[in-house]
Amino acid sequence: MITEADARVIDYGSTVTLVAGGHVTPLAADTLKARRVSVIRESGDGDEASLAPRADVRTVAIGGDHTSVKLKAAIVAHLRGRGVAVHDLGTNSSEPVDYPDTAGAVALQVARGEADAGIAIDGAGLGSTIAANKLRGIRAAMCTNRTLARYAREHNGANVLALGSTLVTTPDALDIVDTFLGTPMREARYIRRLAKVRELERRQQP
């Protein structure tokens, strides 16, 4: 149990873990909020483990701006050839499209659980990364090689891959996609850190 007296001596802006079944008194909760202390609840039902991205990816949402059409088509064909269900969210023409729209559509499907993972593409991949990460529960990473793709999944639990169509060749992009989707996140220390990322998201709530 965390009491108000306990809360007053916890360092400002720190993070504490509350054991499963633990309790925070109402006055302590107010004090913790005022001191901007994050409380991560240790769950007995595997709540933290559920934060890890799905290892067995069967459905992928993909979208890109007008610079991505050729690369996106190659990725869609590649994934469907492997038996992966693909939700192609566009665009499929050279008419200018804004990356927040395409990346947002991809991220929304992942956040809702309509897709196991997402791929967002624009010229450099940076804009799509920024846009996708605005949605709660999304961890988007822009990767330019297989090493970053592996780290993004294994260490950071990324569930959306961002690609820059002007920065990678089609063969390299396919290797990055395969590495990203095929890398699981299993180590408890990495998963535990995702709980802290979630707490940062929750700090935005009024």
PDB file of all heavy atoms in Angstrom, residues 52-81:
ATOM      1  N   ALA A  52       3.780  -6.423 -25.430  1.00  0.00           N
ATOM      2  CA  ALA A  52       4.688  -6.833 -26.500  1.00  0.00           C
ATOM      3  C   ALA A  52       3.915  -6.986 -27.799  1.00  0.00           C
ATOM      4  O   ALA A  52       2.772  -7.442 -27.808  1.00  0.00           O
ATOM      5  CB  ALA A  52       5.368  -8.145 -26.134  1.00  0.00           C
ATOM      6  N   PRO A  53       4.523  -6.605 -28.916  1.00  0.00           N
ATOM      7  CA  PRO A  53       3.834  -6.767 -30.204  1.00  0.00           C
ATOM      8  C   PRO A  53       3.620  -8.232 -30.514  1.00  0.00           C
ATOM      9  O   PRO A  53       4.382  -9.097 -30.064  1.00  0.00           O
ATOM     10  CB  PRO A  53       4.801  -6.117 -31.206  1.00  0.00           C
ATOM     11  CG  PRO A  53       6.136  -6.213 -30.551  1.00  0.00           C
ATOM     12  CD  PRO A  53       5.878  -6.062 -29.089  1.00  0.00           C
ATOM     13  N   ARG A  54       2.586  -8.515 -31.270  1.00  0.00           N
ATOM     14  CA  ARG A  54       2.284  -9.897 -31.618  1.00  0.00           C
ATOM     15  C   ARG A  54       3.437 -10.504 -32.400  1.00  0.00           C
ATOM     16  O   ARG A  54       3.907  -9.936 -33.387  1.00  0.00           O
ATOM     17  CB  ARG A  54       1.000  -9.960 -32.444  1.00  0.00           C
ATOM     18  CG  ARG A  54       0.631 -11.373 -32.860  1.00  0.00           C
ATOM     19  CD  ARG A  54      -0.773 -11.476 -33.360  1.00  0.00           C
ATOM     20  NE  ARG A  54      -1.054 -12.835 -33.813  1.00  0.00           N
ATOM     21  CZ  ARG A  54      -2.265 -13.336 -33.959  1.00  0.00           C
ATOM     22  NH1 ARG A  54      -3.314 -12.591 -33.687  1.00  0.00           N
ATOM     23  NH2 ARG A  54      -2.432 -14.570 -34.383  1.00  0.00           N
ATOM     24  N   ALA A  55       3.900 -11.672 -31.955  1.00  0.00           N
ATOM     25  CA  ALA A  55       5.031 -12.332 -32.600  1.00  0.00           C
ATOM     26  C   ALA A  55       4.621 -12.998 -33.905  1.00  0.00           C
ATOM     27  O   ALA A  55       5.369 -12.990 -34.889  1.00  0.00           O
ATOM     28  CB  ALA A  55       5.654 -13.349 -31.651  1.00  0.00           C
ATOM     29  N   ASP A  56       3.439 -13.580 -33.920  1.00  0.00           N
ATOM     30  CA  ASP A  56       2.951 -14.275 -35.109  1.00  0.00           C
ATOM     31  C   ASP A  56       2.080 -13.312 -35.911  1.00  0.00           C
ATOM     32  O   ASP A  56       0.866 -13.244 -35.722  1.00  0.00           O
ATOM     33  CB  ASP A  56       2.159 -15.511 -34.699  1.00  0.00           C
ATOM     34  CG  ASP A  56       1.630 -16.289 -35.891  1.00  0.00           C
ATOM     35  OD1 ASP A  56       2.158 -16.085 -36.999  1.00  0.00           O
ATOM     36  OD2 ASP A  56       0.690 -17.098 -35.717  1.00  0.00           O
ATOM     37  N   VAL A  57       2.710 -12.550 -36.787  1.00  0.00           N
ATOM     38  CA  VAL A  57       2.008 -11.510 -37.537  1.00  0.00           C
ATOM     39  C   VAL A  57       1.271 -12.135 -38.715  1.00  0.00           C
ATOM     40  O   VAL A  57       1.884 -12.707 -39.611  1.00  0.00           O
ATOM     41  CB  VAL A  57       2.987 -10.429 -38.032  1.00  0.00           C
ATOM     42  CG1 VAL A  57       2.251  -9.408 -38.899  1.00  0.00           C
ATOM     43  CG2 VAL A  57       3.666  -9.747 -36.854  1.00  0.00           C
ATOM     44  N   ARG A  58      -0.042 -12.000 -38.694  1.00  0.00           N
ATOM     45  CA  ARG A  58      -0.868 -12.562 -39.771  1.00  0.00           C
ATOM     46  C   ARG A  58      -1.561 -11.488 -40.604  1.00  0.00           C
ATOM     47  O   ARG A  58      -1.974 -11.757 -41.729  1.00  0.00           O
ATOM     48  CB  ARG A  58      -1.916 -13.501 -39.170  1.00  0.00           C
ATOM     49  CG  ARG A  58      -1.300 -14.683 -38.438  1.00  0.00           C
ATOM     50  CD  ARG A  58      -2.360 -15.609 -37.915  1.00  0.00           C
ATOM     51  NE  ARG A  58      -1.775 -16.747 -37.208  1.00  0.00           N
ATOM     52  CZ  ARG A  58      -2.482 -17.730 -36.668  1.00  0.00           C
ATOM     53  NH1 ARG A  58      -3.806 -17.723 -36.749  1.00  0.00           N
ATOM     54  NH2 ARG A  58      -1.868 -18.721 -36.042  1.00  0.00           N
ATOM     55  N   THR A  59      -1.709 -10.291 -40.025  1.00  0.00           N
ATOM     56  CA  THR A  59      -2.389  -9.208 -40.731  1.00  0.00           C
ATOM     57  C   THR A  59      -1.559  -7.934 -40.617  1.00  0.00           C
ATOM     58  O   THR A  59      -1.164  -7.559 -39.509  1.00  0.00           O
ATOM     59  CB  THR A  59      -3.788  -8.958 -40.146  1.00  0.00           C
ATOM     60  OG1 THR A  59      -4.531 -10.166 -40.157  1.00  0.00           O
ATOM     61  CG2 THR A  59      -4.526  -7.902 -40.943  1.00  0.00           C
ATOM     62  N   VAL A  60      -1.312  -7.297 -41.749  1.00  0.00           N
ATOM     63  CA  VAL A  60      -0.511  -6.075 -41.770  1.00  0.00           C
ATOM     64  C   VAL A  60      -1.304  -4.970 -42.460  1.00  0.00           C
ATOM     65  O   VAL A  60      -1.885  -5.181 -43.537  1.00  0.00           O
ATOM     66  CB  VAL A  60       0.816  -6.300 -42.531  1.00  0.00           C
ATOM     67  CG1 VAL A  60       1.560  -4.981 -42.723  1.00  0.00           C
ATOM     68  CG2 VAL A  60       1.699  -7.295 -41.778  1.00  0.00           C
ATOM     69  N   ALA A  61      -1.323  -3.793 -41.838  1.00  0.00           N
ATOM     70  CA  ALA A  61      -1.889  -2.602 -42.469  1.00  0.00           C
ATOM     71  C   ALA A  61      -0.737  -1.816 -43.086  1.00  0.00           C
ATOM     72  O   ALA A  61       0.297  -1.624 -42.442  1.00  0.00           O
ATOM     73  CB  ALA A  61      -2.625  -1.747 -41.443  1.00  0.00           C
ATOM     74  N   ILE A  62      -0.887  -1.392 -44.316  1.00  0.00           N
ATOM     75  CA  ILE A  62       0.176  -0.644 -44.983  1.00  0.00           C
ATOM     76  C   ILE A  62      -0.419   0.558 -45.707  1.00  0.00           C
ATOM     77  O   ILE A  62      -1.504   0.482 -46.291  1.00  0.00           O
ATOM     78  CB  ILE A  62       0.956  -1.547 -45.974  1.00  0.00           C
ATOM     79  CG1 ILE A  62       2.147  -0.791 -46.573  1.00  0.00           C
ATOM     80  CG2 ILE A  62       0.048  -2.111 -47.058  1.00  0.00           C
ATOM     81  CD1 ILE A  62       3.101  -1.688 -47.353  1.00  0.00           C
ATOM     82  N   GLY A  63       0.285   1.662 -45.622  1.00  0.00           N
ATOM     83  CA  GLY A  63      -0.156   2.873 -46.308  1.00  0.00           C
ATOM     84  C   GLY A  63       1.039   3.760 -46.580  1.00  0.00           C
ATOM     85  O   GLY A  63       2.056   3.681 -45.881  1.00  0.00           O
ATOM     86  N   GLY A  64       0.928   4.588 -47.609  1.00  0.00           N
ATOM     87  CA  GLY A  64       2.020   5.482 -47.940  1.00  0.00           C
ATOM     88  C   GLY A  64       1.555   6.672 -48.739  1.00  0.00           C
ATOM     89  O   GLY A  64       0.456   6.669 -49.292  1.00  0.00           O
ATOM     90  N   ASP A  65       2.417   7.683 -48.798  1.00  0.00           N
ATOM     91  CA  ASP A  65       2.071   8.866 -49.580  1.00  0.00           C
ATOM     92  C   ASP A  65       2.412   8.634 -51.055  1.00  0.00           C
ATOM     93  O   ASP A  65       2.736   7.515 -51.467  1.00  0.00           O
ATOM     94  CB  ASP A  65       2.755  10.113 -49.005  1.00  0.00           C
ATOM     95  CG  ASP A  65       4.269  10.112 -49.207  1.00  0.00           C
ATOM     96  OD1 ASP A  65       4.796   9.176 -49.855  1.00  0.00           O
ATOM     97  OD2 ASP A  65       4.925  11.053 -48.723  1.00  0.00           O
ATOM     98  N   HIS A  66       2.356   9.690 -51.847  1.00  0.00           N
ATOM     99  CA  HIS A  66       2.526   9.568 -53.293  1.00  0.00           C
ATOM    100  C   HIS A  66       3.925   9.130 -53.714  1.00  0.00           C
ATOM    101  O   HIS A  66       4.126   8.701 -54.840  1.00  0.00           O
ATOM    102  CB  HIS A  66       2.181  10.910 -53.955  1.00  0.00           C
ATOM    103  CG  HIS A  66       2.866  12.076 -53.311  1.00  0.00           C
ATOM    104  ND1 HIS A  66       2.462  12.594 -52.099  1.00  0.00           N
ATOM    105  CD2 HIS A  66       3.945  12.805 -53.692  1.00  0.00           C
ATOM    106  CE1 HIS A  66       3.237  13.610 -51.764  1.00  0.00           C
ATOM    107  NE2 HIS A  66       4.154  13.743 -52.705  1.00  0.00           N
ATOM    108  N   THR A  67       4.904   9.251 -52.814  1.00  0.00           N
ATOM    109  CA  THR A  67       6.259   8.799 -53.144  1.00  0.00           C
ATOM    110  C   THR A  67       6.431   7.297 -52.955  1.00  0.00           C
ATOM    111  O   THR A  67       7.460   6.743 -53.340  1.00  0.00           O
ATOM    112  CB  THR A  67       7.308   9.513 -52.272  1.00  0.00           C
ATOM    113  OG1 THR A  67       7.212   9.042 -50.917  1.00  0.00           O
ATOM    114  CG2 THR A  67       7.119  11.028 -52.298  1.00  0.00           C
ATOM    115  N   SER A  68       5.434   6.657 -52.381  1.00  0.00           N
ATOM    116  CA  SER A  68       5.604   5.271 -51.928  1.00  0.00           C
ATOM    117  C   SER A  68       4.977   4.237 -52.861  1.00  0.00           C
ATOM    118  O   SER A  68       5.093   3.037 -52.589  1.00  0.00           O
ATOM    119  CB  SER A  68       4.957   5.119 -50.542  1.00  0.00           C
ATOM    120  OG  SER A  68       3.536   5.079 -50.654  1.00  0.00           O
ATOM    121  N   VAL A  69       4.301   4.674 -53.902  1.00  0.00           N
ATOM    122  CA  VAL A  69       3.440   3.765 -54.666  1.00  0.00           C
ATOM    123  C   VAL A  69       4.178   2.510 -55.144  1.00  0.00           C
ATOM    124  O   VAL A  69       3.721   1.381 -54.941  1.00  0.00           O
ATOM    125  CB  VAL A  69       2.796   4.503 -55.855  1.00  0.00           C
ATOM    126  CG1 VAL A  69       1.999   3.529 -56.710  1.00  0.00           C
ATOM    127  CG2 VAL A  69       1.889   5.623 -55.349  1.00  0.00           C
ATOM    128  N   LYS A  70       5.328   2.685 -55.762  1.00  0.00           N
ATOM    129  CA  LYS A  70       6.063   1.541 -56.302  1.00  0.00           C
ATOM    130  C   LYS A  70       6.557   0.625 -55.191  1.00  0.00           C
ATOM    131  O   LYS A  70       6.405  -0.606 -55.260  1.00  0.00           O
ATOM    132  CB  LYS A  70       7.241   2.031 -57.142  1.00  0.00           C
ATOM    133  CG  LYS A  70       8.016   0.912 -57.809  1.00  0.00           C
ATOM    134  CD  LYS A  70       9.137   1.479 -58.686  1.00  0.00           C
ATOM    135  CE  LYS A  70       9.954   0.361 -59.318  1.00  0.00           C
ATOM    136  NZ  LYS A  70      11.066   0.900 -60.170  1.00  0.00           N
ATOM    137  N   LEU A  71       7.145   1.202 -54.155  1.00  0.00           N
ATOM    138  CA  LEU A  71       7.671   0.399 -53.050  1.00  0.00           C
ATOM    139  C   LEU A  71       6.551  -0.309 -52.306  1.00  0.00           C
ATOM    140  O   LEU A  71       6.666  -1.493 -51.964  1.00  0.00           O
ATOM    141  CB  LEU A  71       8.467   1.283 -52.085  1.00  0.00           C
ATOM    142  CG  LEU A  71       9.060   0.581 -50.858  1.00  0.00           C
ATOM    143  CD1 LEU A  71      10.000  -0.539 -51.275  1.00  0.00           C
ATOM    144  CD2 LEU A  71       9.774   1.592 -49.961  1.00  0.00           C
ATOM    145  N   LYS A  72       5.464   0.401 -52.071  1.00  0.00           N
ATOM    146  CA  LYS A  72       4.335  -0.203 -51.354  1.00  0.00           C
ATOM    147  C   LYS A  72       3.777  -1.397 -52.116  1.00  0.00           C
ATOM    148  O   LYS A  72       3.465  -2.441 -51.537  1.00  0.00           O
ATOM    149  CB  LYS A  72       3.241   0.831 -51.096  1.00  0.00           C
ATOM    150  CG  LYS A  72       2.036   0.268 -50.326  1.00  0.00           C
ATOM    151  CD  LYS A  72       1.095   1.375 -49.885  1.00  0.00           C
ATOM    152  CE  LYS A  72       0.416   2.054 -51.035  1.00  0.00           C
ATOM    153  NZ  LYS A  72      -0.495   1.128 -51.793  1.00  0.00           N
ATOM    154  N   ALA A  73       3.656  -1.259 -53.436  1.00  0.00           N
ATOM    155  CA  ALA A  73       3.125  -2.350 -54.255  1.00  0.00           C
ATOM    156  C   ALA A  73       4.010  -3.584 -54.152  1.00  0.00           C
ATOM    157  O   ALA A  73       3.520  -4.726 -54.085  1.00  0.00           O
ATOM    158  CB  ALA A  73       3.004  -1.907 -55.702  1.00  0.00           C
ATOM    159  N   ALA A  74       5.323  -3.368 -54.126  1.00  0.00           N
ATOM    160  CA  ALA A  74       6.255  -4.494 -54.016  1.00  0.00           C
ATOM    161  C   ALA A  74       6.121  -5.183 -52.660  1.00  0.00           C
ATOM    162  O   ALA A  74       6.156  -6.422 -52.568  1.00  0.00           O
ATOM    163  CB  ALA A  74       7.691  -4.014 -54.230  1.00  0.00           C
ATOM    164  N   ILE A  75       5.947  -4.392 -51.612  1.00  0.00           N
ATOM    165  CA  ILE A  75       5.809  -4.966 -50.265  1.00  0.00           C
ATOM    166  C   ILE A  75       4.493  -5.727 -50.137  1.00  0.00           C
ATOM    167  O   ILE A  75       4.448  -6.820 -49.572  1.00  0.00           O
ATOM    168  CB  ILE A  75       5.917  -3.858 -49.194  1.00  0.00           C
ATOM    169  CG1 ILE A  75       7.320  -3.252 -49.194  1.00  0.00           C
ATOM    170  CG2 ILE A  75       5.578  -4.413 -47.809  1.00  0.00           C
ATOM    171  CD1 ILE A  75       7.474  -2.035 -48.307  1.00  0.00           C
ATOM    172  N   VAL A  76       3.424  -5.155 -50.665  1.00  0.00           N
ATOM    173  CA  VAL A  76       2.119  -5.824 -50.615  1.00  0.00           C
ATOM    174  C   VAL A  76       2.192  -7.177 -51.317  1.00  0.00           C
ATOM    175  O   VAL A  76       1.739  -8.203 -50.785  1.00  0.00           O
ATOM    176  CB  VAL A  76       1.026  -4.940 -51.246  1.00  0.00           C
ATOM    177  CG1 VAL A  76      -0.266  -5.733 -51.434  1.00  0.00           C
ATOM    178  CG2 VAL A  76       0.768  -3.703 -50.380  1.00  0.00           C
ATOM    179  N   ALA A  77       2.775  -7.201 -52.508  1.00  0.00           N
ATOM    180  CA  ALA A  77       2.893  -8.451 -53.251  1.00  0.00           C
ATOM    181  C   ALA A  77       3.758  -9.459 -52.498  1.00  0.00           C
ATOM    182  O   ALA A  77       3.447 -10.660 -52.451  1.00  0.00           O
ATOM    183  CB  ALA A  77       3.473  -8.178 -54.633  1.00  0.00           C
ATOM    184  N   HIS A  78       4.835  -8.976 -51.912  1.00  0.00           N
ATOM    185  CA  HIS A  78       5.747  -9.846 -51.161  1.00  0.00           C
ATOM    186  C   HIS A  78       5.037 -10.477 -49.966  1.00  0.00           C
ATOM    187  O   HIS A  78       5.143 -11.697 -49.745  1.00  0.00           O
ATOM    188  CB  HIS A  78       6.948  -9.020 -50.694  1.00  0.00           C
ATOM    189  CG  HIS A  78       7.902  -9.755 -49.818  1.00  0.00           C
ATOM    190  ND1 HIS A  78       8.731 -10.751 -50.283  1.00  0.00           N
ATOM    191  CD2 HIS A  78       8.160  -9.646 -48.484  1.00  0.00           C
ATOM    192  CE1 HIS A  78       9.463 -11.224 -49.292  1.00  0.00           C
ATOM    193  NE2 HIS A  78       9.141 -10.561 -48.191  1.00  0.00           N
ATOM    194  N   LEU A  79       4.318  -9.676 -49.204  1.00  0.00           N
ATOM    195  CA  LEU A  79       3.646 -10.188 -48.010  1.00  0.00           C
ATOM    196  C   LEU A  79       2.512 -11.147 -48.373  1.00  0.00           C
ATOM    197  O   LEU A  79       2.357 -12.199 -47.746  1.00  0.00           O
ATOM    198  CB  LEU A  79       3.117  -9.025 -47.170  1.00  0.00           C
ATOM    199  CG  LEU A  79       4.183  -8.155 -46.496  1.00  0.00           C
ATOM    200  CD1 LEU A  79       3.529  -6.987 -45.753  1.00  0.00           C
ATOM    201  CD2 LEU A  79       5.023  -8.980 -45.524  1.00  0.00           C
ATOM    202  N   ARG A  80       1.738 -10.781 -49.362  1.00  0.00           N
ATOM    203  CA  ARG A  80       0.645 -11.667 -49.783  1.00  0.00           C
ATOM    204  C   ARG A  80       1.190 -12.985 -50.330  1.00  0.00           C
ATOM    205  O   ARG A  80       0.581 -14.039 -50.149  1.00  0.00           O
ATOM    206  CB  ARG A  80      -0.245 -10.963 -50.797  1.00  0.00           C
ATOM    207  CG  ARG A  80      -1.114  -9.884 -50.152  1.00  0.00           C
ATOM    208  CD  ARG A  80      -1.957  -9.113 -51.146  1.00  0.00           C
ATOM    209  NE  ARG A  80      -2.850  -8.184 -50.456  1.00  0.00           N
ATOM    210  CZ  ARG A  80      -3.473  -7.165 -51.037  1.00  0.00           C
ATOM    211  NH1 ARG A  80      -3.308  -6.950 -52.350  1.00  0.00           N
ATOM    212  NH2 ARG A  80      -4.266  -6.370 -50.345  1.00  0.00           N
ATOM    213  N   GLY A  81       2.348 -12.917 -50.947  1.00  0.00           N
ATOM    214  CA  GLY A  81       2.984 -14.133 -51.428  1.00  0.00           C
ATOM    215  C   GLY A  81       3.413 -15.052 -50.305  1.00  0.00           C
ATOM    216  O   GLY A  81       3.553 -16.264 -50.503  1.00  0.00           O
TER     217      GLY A  81
END
